[in-house]
Amino acid sequence: MRRLLTATAVASVAALALAGCSNGGGEGGGSSDDAAIITVNSTEPQKPLIPTNTNEVGGGKILDSIFAGLIYYDVDGAVHNEVAKSIETDDSVVWDITLNEGWTFTNGEEVTSKSFVDAWNYGALLSNEQLSSYFFEDIEGFSWEEDSELTGLKIIDDYHFTVTLSHPASDFGQRLGYSAFYPLPSVAFDDMKAFGENPIGNGVYKLAGDDAWQHDVKIDLVKNEDYKGDREAQNGGITMKFYANMDAAYADLLSDQLDVLDEIPASSFGTYESDLGDRAVNQPSAVFESFTIGQFLDHFKGEEGKLRRQALSMSINRDEITDVIFEGTRTPASDFTSPTIDGWSDSLDGAEVLEFNEKKAQELWAQADEISPWEGTFKIAYNADDNHQAWVDAVCNSISNVLGIDAAGDAYPTFSEMRTKITDREITTAHRSGWQADYPGLYNFLGPLYGTGAGSNDGDYSSEEFDSLIKEGISSTDPEVANEKFQEAQEVLLEDLPAIPLWYENVVAGYSTLVDNVEFGWNSVPLYYQITKKA
């Protein structure tokens, strides 16, 4: 299995310089067709398209297409400069960033140091309540308690600014390709919500017009002719179609009504390879799947909750489910990260809680009942517009058979509806969860999901020991030491189980007979700009 992380070790080298590198745009051959529109599947974004307030895949695909950051990640997760000319540090505390000149947003405004500094300050400000604000917490001046300017950001001139962190962060330079760090034009701050409905970026693509986003239907993107980077589009644009049912998406793929499908429905796992032949894709990706049980729910607080979570975990037959339901397209989890990330381990202390053990599960559940007898049905919420019902039903059946309780799935029509309930803490059941990496590093699977107060900590988990260990890890300038601390932090998670790890997900995908040069990146997202239409 390939190691997709290539920049963490580099990030600790004195006077870091992330050298610009071109991948040729249309790598892999084929001719460019600037008029061809590529159709791909996606989901309706949960919120307006604001980079610092989007933390789900549907919105992320769009933002990554219409914005360009300081760096970008290639197919293997390696770092390349984009808007940045250089990113340098001597101590992993002070980062010196120089921009390339000549970049503009699609409204003609120049991309300058202020474009980044203003966007980051907006994203970090407490009262703006941005879901990705935690990405800025390492910068001096960040506050979880009051509105505070990021004093660690200093504009030297239009093309040069510095970032001072409150402590060393060895992978800070590697993070800068994530959408939270994208620049914004000045017009965004006039009415951010309105801007999010019709965003103006500086990326490979741009919105096709004022009505490009048809909610719950599709969004139309066209090639940005003024894009200055190395990832020049080899097509005329992308139409992202929002499907409520993945079987319908697969049917469209088979009839060439959809060019790229990044998730084959579970109902077709047994046939997709014969259906698609060499157009079928099955490869590792940085996607981890789980379900989360809020620390605030009845029967899941304190010691009782810990016992119940451990019992539930050990009552799930992951080997059987990944074999029967997913037909080899998933791998049972042995930690909280991904085998594609450098530093991953399958031999953590406490990982036996992820193994199927009927007797132990029953003992733990009985101990929890002694604290407070169980009542009702254990439910796992999931969104019905994606491939989840089959595995949720299988997990619930496994739980029910082992523990002798009622367990069932709780379907929400769309991902957006479920996420809104979760974000507003109105969810009253367990819910499916997981993580598609923002950047290729272990910390990204841990800090954002389980750190106290983190934006994607949907279960409100809090552990001083865990927080201390990940802080030690991210402060280390030695990648090996950092990863050791992250593994120790995971051992705390294996004891507390703020989420129940299930399996690692492969990219199981396909493309139509009408396109060439389809390649899926380290994070399972297609490299849209490379795709070409056949003549």
Side-chain angles (χ1 to χ4, degrees), residues 212-438:
W213 185 3
Q214 298 179 40
H215 287 280
D216 298 309
V217 179
K218 65 175 182 173
I219 189 166
D220 295 317
L221 309 179
V222 295
K223 182 177 180 178
N224 176 14
E225 299 290 352
D226 296 322
Y227 169 72
K228 301 296 184 183
D230 297 329
R231 299 178 296 150
E232 181 181 357
Q234 301 300 297
N235 50 65
I238 301 292
T239 291
M240 296 184 180
K241 301 169 71 173
F242 306 144
Y243 284 91
N245 182 285
M246 296 306 292
D247 288 307
Y250 187 62
D252 280 355
L253 180 73
L254 293 179
S255 61
D256 284 342
Q257 299 301 305
L258 183 72
D259 288 321
V260 181
L261 178 63
D262 62 16
E263 187 174 0
I264 300 293
S267 59
S268 298
F269 282 163
T271 62
Y272 80 100
E273 291 179 315
S274 59
D275 289 342
L276 299 173
D278 59 7
R279 294 179 290 113
V281 176
N282 185 356
Q283 68 184 52
S285 71
V287 180
F288 162 84
E289 295 190 357
S290 59
F291 65 85
T292 295
I293 308 171
Q295 306 279 312
F296 45 83
L297 296 179
D298 289 342
H299 292 294
F300 290 100
K301 303 170 185 176
E303 183 64 20
E304 179 195 357
K306 183 186 293 188
L307 291 167
R308 293 203 188 280
R309 288 190 295 274
Q310 292 174 351
L312 288 165
S313 179
M314 300 181 85
S315 70
I316 299 168
N317 193 332
R318 293 168 178 80
D319 289 330
E320 183 177 85
I321 292 171
T322 54
D323 182 49
V324 175
I325 300 296
F326 292 115
E327 301 190 44
T329 63
R330 305 289 190 275
T331 303
S334 56
D335 80 331
F336 289 79
T337 65
S338 166
T340 64
I341 303 298
D342 192 32
W344 173 81
S345 173
D346 62 355
S347 57
L348 298 175
D349 288 345
E352 62 272 8
V353 76
L354 305 183
E355 298 173 3
F356 185 53
N357 188 329
E358 295 182 72
K359 182 178 179 181
K360 185 65 174 177
Q362 292 164 357
E363 290 175 357
L364 292 167
W365 195 260
Q367 291 175 35
D369 277 344
E370 291 176 3
I371 297 173
S372 177
W374 173 259
E375 296 177 344
T377 300
F378 179 76
K379 293 184 178 181
I380 301 176
Y382 67 95
N383 50 302
D385 59 349
D386 209 337
N387 291 325
H388 301 299
Q389 181 177 352
W391 74 256
V392 170
D393 288 347
V395 166
C396 289
N397 287 338
S398 190
I399 290 170
S400 181
N401 290 338
V402 171
L403 299 180
I405 63 172
D406 291 330
D410 186 18
Y412 285 74
T414 66
F415 180 72
S416 179
E417 290 179 57
M418 185 184 73
R419 283 300 315 167
T420 298
K421 286 282 190 181
I422 294 167
T423 302
D424 294 344
R425 296 301 186 267
E426 294 177 357
I427 194 101
T428 59
T429 67
H431 62 270
R432 64 154 291 263
S433 52
W435 194 249
Q436 182 180 45
D438 303 313

Side-chain angles (χ1 to χ4, degrees), residues 306 310 334-337 345-354 446 450 461 463 465-466 469-470 483-498:
K306 183 186 293 188
Q310 292 174 351
S334 56
D335 80 331
F336 289 79
T337 65
S345 173
D346 62 355
S347 57
L348 298 175
D349 288 345
E352 62 272 8
V353 76
L354 305 183
L446 304 174
Y450 312 114
Y461 173 70
S463 164
E465 184 180 8
F466 174 81
L469 287 166
I470 59 171
N483 283 338
E484 287 174 3
K485 292 299 179 183
F486 296 145
Q487 302 299 21
E488 290 179 37
Q490 287 203 78
E491 290 172 352
V492 176
L493 297 183
L494 288 166
E495 173 71 21
D496 295 342
L497 290 178

Side-chain angles (χ1 to χ4, degrees), residues 148-165:
S148 177
E149 183 181 3
L150 295 177
T151 55
L153 299 180
K154 300 293 185 184
I155 295 176
I156 308 303
D157 58 42
D158 280 351
Y159 311 108
H160 182 197
F161 69 101
T162 61
V163 184
T164 302
L165 307 182

Side-chain angles (χ1 to χ4, degrees), residues 2-18:
R2 294 176 300 166
R3 289 188 174 185
L4 304 186
L5 177 67
T6 60
T8 298
V10 176
S12 67
V13 176
L16 169 71
L18 300 180

